[in-house]
Each structure stands twice: as structure tokens, then as C-alpha cells.
Amino acid sequence: RGLIGSEVRGHRGPMKPALNTNMSLNVRKVSMLAINIASYHSHVIGADPTAVVSASAEVVAAVVRAVNEHKGVLDGFQGDKFMASFNAVTSVGNHASAAAGAALKASREISSITVSSRPDARPLSMTGGIASGPAMVGNMGTQAVKRFTVLGHVVTTAGILERLCKRYPGATTLLSGNAVNETGNFFELLCCDVVTLPAPKASVKTRISFLADTKNVGTDEWMYALDNAVKDHRFKNANGAFDAFVAGDRVLCNSLLNQCLGQEDLSDVSLMATINLLSKLQDLQVDGTSYVNTLADFYTQCIANPHRQPESNMRCLLSSSF
């Protein structure tokens, strides 16, 4: 009998289609999520090996749950580092939002895990990076050794953004470029810098934002939420001040900063970092346009030399001779 709908020894019912194991690459728009457990070495040094194994299993399980729930695929992990893809293997509508949702869920679950049962044990935390764009996806290798692979600048960018989290107080996940544009209506994002990141043909200057939380968008009011996204944004004034600074509008930047100090929740560490940073730059009379262009060469060098840690344009300017 034919294979479709047939009964095979040891198997009853219709057979599932075989997985595509051919070695080939296709171009797709994807989102990549890089995750790293922050300062993991400080939690495991001196800890009981059994406790380390148990905590690591909990972390892996948390990341897998978050990625699977948002229709992503965990491409692999090594120790405390993970890389997941969205829309590479299976189709995902808004794959950048899926990656953002996975990052928030993983972060919440990881923050409840400790390596030790001691009362003074600190909970784990993660840093993450999300990048979206075209990539080549498919099987690579030989008939004996092969695996599904995602190739493209989005993979590199996600890793860079994850490392950059360490430069921003309170930041757990950073997004850039297309990922920011595609998630802004559904997640609370806080602008925090303009950096030069790798692109297909040349490095480009792009804004990066901190992923803070989901917006309260119900299924019955999503169109209303889209129309009023800017009005309801928790970081509206801070992001507006950032935009005004980059555009060189110092008057508007100062006005919005004053509104932030009078209206925003100043207990938010990341928000206060952005407000304080913009205030210092305003005091230093750094022109927004000059600031964006001043260290482009520096970032090109960082990208060309992967052993050099990328830094922030704003942070470098604060330590310069302005």
C-alpha cells in the first residue's frame, strides 16, 4: 500500500510527513533572541555541584518553556548562554514580538531560581538581546553531521545587544532597529542610546531600547491600543526627550525632561538612568547630531575586533573632553 494513510509495522494511522533533511538555505525574515545568565560564575563558584546541576536544569527548562510558548526554536545553548530563533523553522506572524514575549517570560522565571538553598542566596537574572532582519536559514553540514542553521547579521547583533545590557542600569533585554519598530505597539520600550551595529553591507547607526514590559492590550481593544500607543506609553516623555536630543532640539528635550521629573515613576532604575544621562549631556552642551556621529569610527573598530567590548556612545562622550 502507499505510504499516505497506510499501516506500517509498529505504527497505526496516517504517517506524519518526513522532516526536511536536505541541505539548502533560504532567505527569511527572522528574529533572534540571545540570552545569558548574568554573572553566573559568581553564583556557582564554591557552590555544591549537585545544586549547580539542579539550577542549570531549571534555567534550561525556563528558557525552553518561554521559547516554545512563543513558537520559537532553541537553536542551542552552552553553559549559561542561549540562542533562539523565531520564524526561522516555523512561521510566526510578528516574530519580533514573539521574541520579546519569550524574553520577558524567561526573565521572570529565571529571577525565581537560586543556585543555593541558603537564606542569603541571590536569585539569578538574565541579560538578553533581540534583533530582527533577513537571514539565511536551512540545513548545513554533511550527510553524517548536519544541523539547522541561521546565518546573518541578526545573529551577531542579538549577541552584541545582550552584551551591551551590562552597560545600562536595570536593562535586562535590549532591542534595535526592526525589532523596536515591530514591538513598540505591544511592549513598553525605553530608548537608551544610539550605537553603530553590523548590517548586511555596512555598519549603521541605530537606536537601541530597553524592553521593560508588555502593554495592557486586551483582545477587544487592540485597535484602540494601536491608535493610542504613544499617548498611553509609560516612557512617552523620556523617549520624546531622547528623540529631541538626537534631533538637536535642546529646548524640547529640556521641557520633556522636566515633565519626566514631575510625572514619571522615578523609582524605575532604567528610566532614571536615561533622564540623568540626558540631563548631563544637556549640561555639557553636547549637540545631538554631533553625538550620533562622533564615535562612528570607534564602533566600526569594535565590530571589526570582536575581542573588544562594545561601549555606549553616550557613556564615551561623558568621559570625553566636552
Side-chain angles (χ1 to χ4, degrees):
R1 297 172 62 182
L3 288 178
I4 303 301
S6 66
E7 291 190 8
V8 180
R9 183 180 303 173
H11 177 84
R12 292 184 177 275
M15 294 184 64
K16 294 182 180 179
L19 295 175
N20 179 13
T21 59
N22 295 328
M23 283 178 286
S24 62
L25 293 174
N26 298 303
V27 177
R28 296 189 63 158
K29 291 183 178 180
V30 304
S31 290
M32 300 300 298
L33 167 61
I35 291 177
N36 181 43
I37 306 304
S39 302
Y40 193 52
H41 63 280
S42 66
H43 293 269
V44 302
I45 292 178
D48 178 67
T50 302
V52 174
V53 171
S54 176
S56 296
E58 290 186 62
V59 169
V60 173
V63 173
V64 169
R65 280 193 298 270
V67 172
N68 288 347
E69 182 178 307
H70 293 84
K71 300 180 180 180
V73 173
L74 184 62
D75 289 346
F77 76 95
Q78 182 175 11
D80 60 333
K81 298 181 183 295
F82 303 82
M83 184 68 75
S85 62
F86 298 80
N87 202 49
V89 179
T90 57
S91 295
V92 182
N94 189 335
H95 43 85
S97 289
L104 287 175
K105 179 177 176 62
S107 179
R108 285 192 294 267
E109 293 198 18
I110 289 171
S111 65
S112 66
I113 300 172
T114 58
V115 175
S116 171
S117 59
R118 297 197 315 266
D120 61 342
R122 294 176 293 114
L124 299 178
S125 61
M126 61 161 264
T127 51
I130 299 174
S132 298
M136 290 190 290
V137 303
N139 297 318
M140 293 183 63
T142 68
Q143 289 299 330
V145 180
K146 58 186 170 185
R147 62 164 295 171
F148 187 85
T149 304
V150 180
L151 299 175
H153 72 280
V154 290
V155 180
T156 305
T157 300
I160 290 175
L161 291 171
E162 180 277 313
R163 296 201 305 277
L164 278 173
C165 281
K166 302 172 181 63
R167 303 289 179 177
Y168 302 92
T172 54
T173 302
L174 292 176
L175 304 87
S176 69
N178 292 334
V180 171
N181 298 333
E182 295 173 12
T183 58
N185 287 324
F186 305 100
F187 295 85
E188 292 184 339
L189 306 177
L190 174 63
C191 294
C192 57
D193 211 341
V194 174
V195 298
T196 303
L197 295 172
K201 295 184 179 179
S203 299
V204 296
K205 291 183 289 294
T206 182
R207 300 183 192 189
I208 59 175
S209 297
F210 162 50
L211 175 63
D213 203 350
T214 56
K215 288 184 179 177
N216 185 19
V217 181
T219 55
D220 296 332
E221 56 182 357
W222 70 275
M223 284 300 295
Y224 173 83
L226 290 179
D227 292 338
N228 293 275
V230 176
K231 298 178 184 178
D232 298 335
H233 202 299
R234 178 159 60 114
F235 302 128
K236 178 184 66 175
N237 290 330
N239 287 339
F242 187 94
D243 291 340
F245 174 79
V246 172
D249 191 337
R250 304 178 64 81
V251 174
L252 178 58
C253 182
N254 275 326
S255 174
L256 291 172
L257 282 176
N258 289 331
Q259 292 183 46
C260 285
L261 294 173
Q263 300 174 6
E264 305 286 6
D265 178 10
L266 301 183
S267 64
D268 189 295
V269 175
S270 296
L271 177 61
M272 281 308 301
T274 293
I275 293 173
N276 291 335
L277 196 53
L278 287 172
S279 298
K280 289 179 181 178
L281 289 170
Q282 289 281 75
D283 292 340
L284 291 171
Q285 296 185 346
V286 178
D287 177 72
T289 304
S290 299
Y291 138 68
V292 172
N293 293 312
T294 299
L295 295 177
D297 290 340
F298 171 78
Y299 280 95
T300 301
Q301 294 171 15
C302 283
I303 293 167
N305 182 0
H307 299 293
R308 183 175 184 178
Q309 175 74 30
E311 297 210 21
S312 156
N313 280 359
M314 285 188 173
R315 271 69 182 174
C316 290
L317 281 175
L318 286 176
S319 62
S320 64
S321 57
F322 283 95

